[in-house]
Structure formats: C-alpha cells, structure tokens
Amino acid sequence: MPHEEELSLPGGNVSGGVVRVGDTVRRPAGPWTPAVHALLAHLHAVGFRAAPRPLGIDEQGREVLTYVPGDVVWPDRFALMEPERRLARVGRIVGEFHDAVQDFTPPPDARWRELVPADGHDIIAHHDLGPWNLVTGDDDRWAFIDWDTAAPGTRLWDLAYAAHGFVPLSADPALCRADAAHRLRVLVDAYGLDEDGRRRLVPLLGRRSRSMHDFLRDRAALGEQPWATHWAEGHGDVWRSDAEYTEEREEEWTRALLDG
C-alpha cells in the first residue's frame, strides 16, 4: 500500500515538524506524550469532543492524532469571535473541558511538559488556551489543539490565559478594545464561574500574562530555544505590556464581573 502524502502544517511559535497524513496529524513526541494521550483519551471517553483523539505512535516515533478540519482563529480569523455569542461559546468549551478533566486520574508514571509554573494544582490544565490553538470548522465544530503543554494547574490559571487571548486583554493599540470589560464578562458568564471564583480570577489576569514574560526572560537567560529567539524578537515586551495594562484595570474587571 503506498504511503499517503505528508502535508506540512505551518504555524505556531513552538511546534515544528507537524504534518497532516490523510485524516491524521503527526507531531514530534516527547516524554510527556503518553500522559497527554491518556488525557485526550479520557476526554473523549467522557464525551468531550473539542479536542483531537489520540491514535498512538507511528513508525517514525511521532504521535498520531485525529486531524481537526478548519482554520485556526489567530491571526487571520479573529473576527470569528464576533458576535459575542461566539466568544461565549469559547467560555463554554473551556468550562466543559475543565468539568470533563476533573475526574481524570493521570497514569502513575505521568510526565508532563511543565513550562510556566501554575498557581496551584487542582486539574490537568491545557496551559495554552488561546485563539492560536482554536480550530473552527465549516461544520461549526470547534476544537482546541496543541495539548503537549498540558500539565497540573488550576481552572482559574487556564481561564485567565484564555481571557488574555480571546477578550483580548492587550495593550497593543491594534488589539485593545473599549469593550474589553464587557467581553470579559461574556466569557466568564459562559464559563459559569461563581462569585468567589470571579473575585479570585481578577488578580490572576495580570499575573498570568506576567508569568509569560518571566518565563521567556528566564529561559532566554539560559540560552534555551525557541525561547531565546522569542525574547530577542520582543515577545517578552509584549507580555509585560499586556500584564501592566491588565493590572492597571483590575477595578474595571472587578466591576464588570461582579456588578449587575
């Protein structure tokens, strides 16, 4: 039987060597891959469908996942987050994922690719729930991809990261929105966060962005790639500016989430 053609899937700041083969995606595997596959298998077993399904390891040692048809939202299709019902759908998906993962028991020998230290460990979090990892299909099927940074974390840490990308909470004049507080409310309402969680989320919004700046700074100082290149390209400055923007507006976020 002839081998199917491999089609490169470009994009992303970290993952290279990702290809599509038929209805599958092949990605470089790592020590964390068995644990990630156990997580993805659990999600599908409990009915969560907004993630690829794991199919094992191929003859080249690459992980094999089901291909999710559609387009990645960032950067060219961010308009898909309008109208706000689509932003609300993101919040629901994140909440459904966190509910689905709550009962997941990692394998006893699980190894995770823990990059940015989390604020605690109450679930196995995705840690990169951004529009650059959300695929939207023509059949209206949405799924998050790139689960290789899944690791112990918390619901609020994951949600704070999603808020940064999907609201977005950005200092960039091209991205900064006058309705950011309202959009944050839409996302959090759809997620289903209670009042105590909303109060605890607000200070994490800035901390989560600052953690990315600190991570890049520290890894760049060690000369680790691709982080050193990202730091040299100014990614750290972006995260720091976004953190400052978010921290300066904590009262605004609090009012949006708790009033009304």
Side-chain angles (χ1 to χ4, degrees):
M1 176 185 234
H3 290 290
E4 293 187 82
E5 181 182 5
E6 294 192 0
L7 303 174
S8 177
L9 294 176
N13 289 324
V14 177
S15 300
V18 181
V19 299
R20 177 183 177 183
V21 180
D23 292 329
T24 70
V25 170
R26 314 296 172 99
R27 296 165 47 97
W32 53 84
T33 300
V36 172
H37 281 202
L39 168 64
L40 293 174
H42 166 83
L43 294 177
H44 276 261
V46 299
F48 181 76
R49 293 293 181 264
R53 186 163 55 88
L55 300 175
I57 304 296
D58 71 8
E59 65 280 359
Q60 297 183 38
R62 301 174 297 186
E63 69 167 331
V64 184
L65 305 161
T66 53
Y67 173 73
V68 179
D71 297 292
V72 177
V73 169
W74 186 265
D76 299 326
R77 294 171 62 85
F78 194 72
L80 284 172
M81 295 300 97
E82 305 280 5
E84 64 184 40
R85 63 181 173 78
R86 290 175 173 265
L87 177 64
R89 183 175 180 181
V90 174
R92 287 194 298 274
I93 291 173
V94 175
E96 290 165 1
F97 157 52
H98 288 168
D99 289 344
V101 77
Q102 193 66 51
D103 296 329
F104 171 61
T105 300
D109 58 348
R111 297 175 64 183
W112 303 103
R113 193 183 184 191
E114 298 185 65
L115 298 178
V116 179
D119 68 323
H121 299 147
D122 61 36
I123 60 168
I124 300 300
H126 183 288
H127 289 291
D128 201 6
L129 294 173
W132 37 88
N133 282 330
L134 179 64
V135 175
T136 59
D138 292 338
D139 61 354
D140 214 28
R141 178 190 174 190
W142 291 15
F144 279 104
I145 59 173
D146 287 358
W147 290 77
D148 53 305
T149 58
T154 71
R155 287 173 170 256
L156 294 183
W157 196 246
D158 235 13
L159 181 58
Y161 190 93
H164 170 267
F166 285 103
V167 170
L169 300 176
S170 173
D172 185 339
L175 301 174
C176 184
R177 297 185 55 131
D179 62 347
H182 173 70
R183 287 173 61 82
L184 177 63
R185 176 67 182 254
V186 169
L187 182 76
V188 171
D189 281 356
Y191 178 89
L193 197 61
D194 62 18
E195 181 175 334
D196 177 65
R198 291 167 190 250
R199 293 185 185 279
R200 292 188 291 121
L201 174 67
V202 169
L204 289 181
L205 296 172
R207 277 183 56 195
R208 186 63 181 91
S209 292
R210 195 166 292 280
S211 73
M212 294 300 297
H213 166 272
D214 295 348
F215 167 77
L216 290 174
R217 177 199 63 201
D218 295 345
R219 295 299 178 97
L222 297 172
E224 295 184 12
Q225 293 294 355
W227 322 117
T229 296
H230 293 173
W231 180 261
E233 292 173 346
H235 291 224
D237 293 337
V238 173
W239 283 109
R240 184 185 65 249
S241 295
D242 288 357
E244 292 171 350
Y245 161 89
T246 305
E247 291 162 351
E248 291 167 359
R249 290 162 175 78
E250 285 190 0
E251 291 185 5
E252 184 178 353
W253 313 139
T254 300
R255 287 195 302 271
L257 293 181
L258 294 175
D259 292 351

